[in-house]
Amino acid sequence: MQPISRRTLLGGGLAATAVAVTGTPLLTACSSGGADTAAANLAVKLPDHRPYQGVQPDLPGTDRVLAGFLKYPAHPVRAIHEKPGDGKPISFLTNIPGAIPPAENRNRFWQAMNDRLGSDLSISMASNDEYPKKFATRIAGGDLPDVLNIPPTTPELPALLKAKCRNLTEQLSGDAVHDYPFLANIPTEYWKGCVFNGGIYGVPVPRGMSRTSLPLYRVDLLAAKGIKNPAPKNFAEFLDLCTAMTEPKRHRWAWTKAPTAYVRQMFGMANQWKRSGDRFTTMYEDEANADALEATRKLVAAGVVNPDAFGDKASARKQWFNGGIAAFDLDSFVAWNQYYAENTAGDAFSVDMLDVPGFDGGLGKPWMGAALNNVTAFSTGSKHSTETLLKLANWMAAPFGTEEYLFRKYGVAGRHYTLHGSDPIPTKVGVVETGIGLQYICDSDLALYYAGRPEVPQRQHRIQQRIADRLVYDASYGLYSETMSRKWTQLTAVLLDVENQIVQGKQPVSAWRPAVKTFLSSGGTAMKSELAKAYAEAAKR
């Protein structure tokens, strides 16, 4: 099973945001009449998986390793001939990872997309940082669009979906999904995160391996130090590598942030939740935390982490990596491509990814990335038919190699990209105008590809093959805990604060154990019990 990681956008702070913004709890009108029922959810027949066979990759994928392409097909297949829209505007609420793009009346990509869809897409968007406030305001006020981007860790998610969104089971369960061939192309595992209240309440935006995070590093910066193909065999060699890449007098450090999660993987710790028999435990309870936090504190004390790391936002850290202020950043395959797209270092810019060694030798255990970026749900108040909205999602899920994918990701030739051979190379206008959040309506599994740089998918495929058999999954994926839904992010935020205090040397490592004890008494123990109960229900079937 694939995990839901802590790196989702909203988390448990959403309910608090709703109260702060509107004075009203998020789910005032969304009583579910009780917790999500595992038995009812397990009775749901998930959508069949029917893989698309229209394009063959250069680098074959597996159930874990993503397929890779060295170039875009010279003659992309036009896979959908009917416009999915019904002629009426369709509204959509979403976050976007980059800058807010030009409005529809000044955005030729957006206009061209509307023409292809057969309906004007009205998008209400906000940056990643601002989306929690916007989402909470719209939900609490009952001002819902036709299509909603809902993060998986939204508090009391089953109640919200049951009260405000359509049950899609009839249209998607089993072979019914075949009416939407590119939704059927999404592997069945991803659909587990869309089942609530005994029904399918959304379509998935899949991530999985593409969100697996390990140290990305600047190949060009390491090469300038005479370091090629770095492969530390243990923590000591890793610290030596970091020290070699740190020059504070030149305003250069090895790391954009303290790599605590990476050090935990060196110890083979759980990916959020671990199951042993019918018992669930969190990563935070592992006795190895003391050693992992001490090791990370040692990295910070050695000065290899940018001293501004504990105060600045993720956007600043990305600028440090691109600008050469830091040589390492703990991030995913999605970020790997984004770094190339936002490159400010010129043609020499080059990125690769470190494997994770065992702390004292051998091999560590990397964590599989979050299964879903978000669940896309359809408002019960929408005037569009469910079939129209599913056709829209199906169009957005057309996979790599199709003409629809080429347009959706790159835009119109000549304005948004230029062709180098068969590869679409984005223009500056293209990067700005195409960033309107279409990938959060629906998307296919990520294809390993970067236009004009075949070495990028080759490196990505190589590291994925290397780590595939050691990936650790979150044992809670597909199981629902009411307490975890409401309290996980709030309680783990407290632990994160203690963690940061320890690695900065402001608190002793001994402060960790009482913090975990408080976590357990404040809701962690209830989460463990609820997950065990949900697992027991699953085991009966």
Side-chain angles (χ1 to χ4, degrees):
M1 290 186 292
Q2 307 208 34
I4 296 174
S5 84
R6 68 187 184 283
R7 302 194 57 192
T8 43
L9 175 63
L10 300 182
L14 181 61
T17 302
V19 175
V21 172
T22 68
T24 306
L26 179 65
L27 298 178
T28 297
C30 301
S31 174
S32 65
D36 201 39
T37 305
N41 292 341
L42 288 163
V44 175
K45 183 173 176 56
L46 295 171
D48 290 348
H49 181 211
R50 180 180 283 182
Y52 178 65
Q53 303 293 339
V55 181
Q56 297 303 310
D58 301 301
L59 306 169
T62 68
D63 60 340
R64 298 186 178 192
V65 177
L66 297 171
F69 298 82
L70 304 183
K71 59 183 179 180
Y72 207 88
H75 304 289
V77 176
R78 183 69 178 269
I80 302 174
H81 297 281
E82 177 187 356
K83 292 184 178 182
D86 58 9
K88 301 174 184 177
I90 298 173
S91 56
F92 174 48
L93 176 66
T94 189
N95 65 293
I96 56 170
I100 299 296
E104 180 182 355
N105 62 355
R106 296 182 290 108
N107 189 322
R108 286 170 58 181
F109 169 73
W110 198 333
Q111 294 164 11
M113 181 201 63
N114 286 342
D115 181 64
R116 284 175 173 248
L117 294 180
S119 282
D120 288 349
L121 194 57
S122 175
I123 307 174
S124 179
M125 60 187 78
S127 68
N128 287 353
D129 292 333
E130 293 296 322
Y131 191 59
K133 178 179 178 180
K134 186 161 191 167
F135 183 82
T137 301
R138 294 285 293 270
I139 298 298
D143 179 21
L144 301 187
D146 300 306
V147 181
L148 298 89
N149 164 349
I150 305 180
T153 50
T154 298
E156 302 175 65
L157 180 55
L160 172 61
L161 292 168
K162 187 174 183 179
K164 302 292 186 180
C165 301
R166 296 184 186 182
N167 186 332
L168 307 176
T169 310
E170 180 181 347
Q171 292 83 6
L172 296 176
S173 182
D175 60 8
V177 76
H178 296 171
D179 289 341
Y180 310 97
F182 296 126
L183 298 184
N185 183 53
I186 298 173
T188 301
E189 280 293 315
Y190 293 116
W191 291 95
K192 291 181 180 179
C194 300
V195 176
F196 300 92
N197 310 304
I200 301 169
Y201 274 81
V203 297
V205 175
R207 288 297 181 263
M209 180 62 108
S210 66
R211 278 283 174 82
T212 296
S213 294
L214 286 169
L216 296 173
Y217 67 88
R218 288 280 301 272
V219 174
D220 51 320
L221 297 183
L222 270 67
K225 291 277 191 177
I227 302 171
K228 296 183 179 180
N229 301 318
K233 295 181 176 63
N234 50 47
F235 177 80
E237 290 190 9
F238 171 67
L239 176 56
D240 289 342
L241 174 63
C242 296
T243 302
M245 295 307 301
T246 299
E247 296 180 89
K249 291 182 179 179
R250 298 184 62 192
H251 201 63
R252 293 182 178 179
W253 290 269
W255 277 93
T256 62
K257 58 184 176 183
T260 313
Y262 183 60
V263 176
R264 282 177 165 137
Q265 292 172 50
M266 291 183 184
F267 283 94
M269 292 171 62
N271 181 355
Q272 301 304 321
W273 286 96
K274 178 181 179 180
R275 181 183 62 81
S276 179
D278 59 357
R279 182 170 177 266
F280 283 76
T281 55
T282 70
M283 166 188 71
Y284 303 111
E285 298 171 80
D286 195 315
E287 292 296 328
N289 271 293
D291 290 332
L293 291 171
E294 175 59 30
T296 309
R297 187 205 60 77
K298 188 173 183 179
L299 289 169
V300 175
V304 303
V305 178
N306 188 322
D308 295 326
F310 294 95
D312 284 1
K313 296 180 179 179
S315 57
R317 295 196 295 267
K318 291 182 182 297
Q319 292 171 7
W320 300 339
F321 187 80
N322 261 333
I325 292 173
F328 292 92
D329 184 45
L330 189 65
D331 218 322
S332 68
F333 292 91
V334 174
W336 190 331
N337 279 21
Q338 288 174 340
Y339 274 131
Y340 273 97
E342 299 167 3
N343 166 33
T344 59
D347 293 340
F349 183 85
S350 184
V351 176
D352 208 335
M353 182 179 273
L354 281 184
D355 197 347
V356 54
F359 187 81
D360 293 315
L363 297 172
K365 295 183 178 181
W367 296 339
M368 183 63 152
L372 303 182
N373 181 82
N374 62 281
V375 174
T376 295
F378 306 143
S379 169
T380 53
S382 173
K383 295 181 180 179
H384 298 276
S385 70
T386 299
E387 288 70 22
T388 293
L389 299 178
L390 285 171
K391 285 180 181 179
L392 173 69
N394 181 70
W395 191 89
M396 296 294 174
F400 185 94
T402 62
E403 195 276 339
E404 290 80 5
Y405 183 101
L406 177 65
F407 171 77
R408 191 174 78 248
K409 300 291 187 180
Y410 295 95
V412 178
R415 177 175 177 82
H416 300 115
Y417 67 88
T418 57
L419 280 176
H420 288 209
S422 60
D423 284 324
I425 308 298
T427 64
K428 290 182 179 180
V429 171
V431 171
V432 171
E433 290 193 353
T434 59
I436 60 176
L438 300 184
Q439 69 271 30
Y440 302 137
I441 295 177
C442 199
D443 210 351
S444 57
D445 233 351
L446 180 76
L448 301 178
Y449 169 77
Y450 196 81
R453 301 290 295 260
E455 77 277 8
V456 173
Q458 288 174 325
R459 287 173 176 171
Q460 293 173 334
H461 196 260
R462 184 166 58 246
I463 186 66
Q464 289 191 5
Q465 287 181 310
R466 193 179 304 150
I467 67 174
D469 292 339
R470 290 182 282 129
L471 287 165
V472 178
Y473 291 81
D474 181 349
S476 73
Y477 178 63
L479 303 174
Y480 183 75
S481 159
E482 181 75 14
T483 305
M484 190 163 73
S485 173
R486 291 186 290 105
K487 292 188 174 183
W488 174 261
T489 301
Q490 298 164 6
L491 295 181
T492 56
V494 176
L495 288 177
L496 178 61
D497 182 64
V498 175
E499 177 183 300
N500 285 336
Q501 294 290 318
I502 291 172
V503 300
Q504 292 178 84
K506 297 178 179 180
Q507 286 198 48
V509 173
S510 60
W512 182 252
R513 184 171 290 182
V516 173
K517 185 177 180 180
T518 300
F519 163 82
L520 292 171
S521 64
S522 301
T525 299
M527 297 176 201
K528 295 165 67 170
S529 176
E530 290 165 6
L531 288 173
K533 182 179 179 181
Y535 176 77
E537 290 282 355
K540 293 176 183 177
R541 302 184 66 85

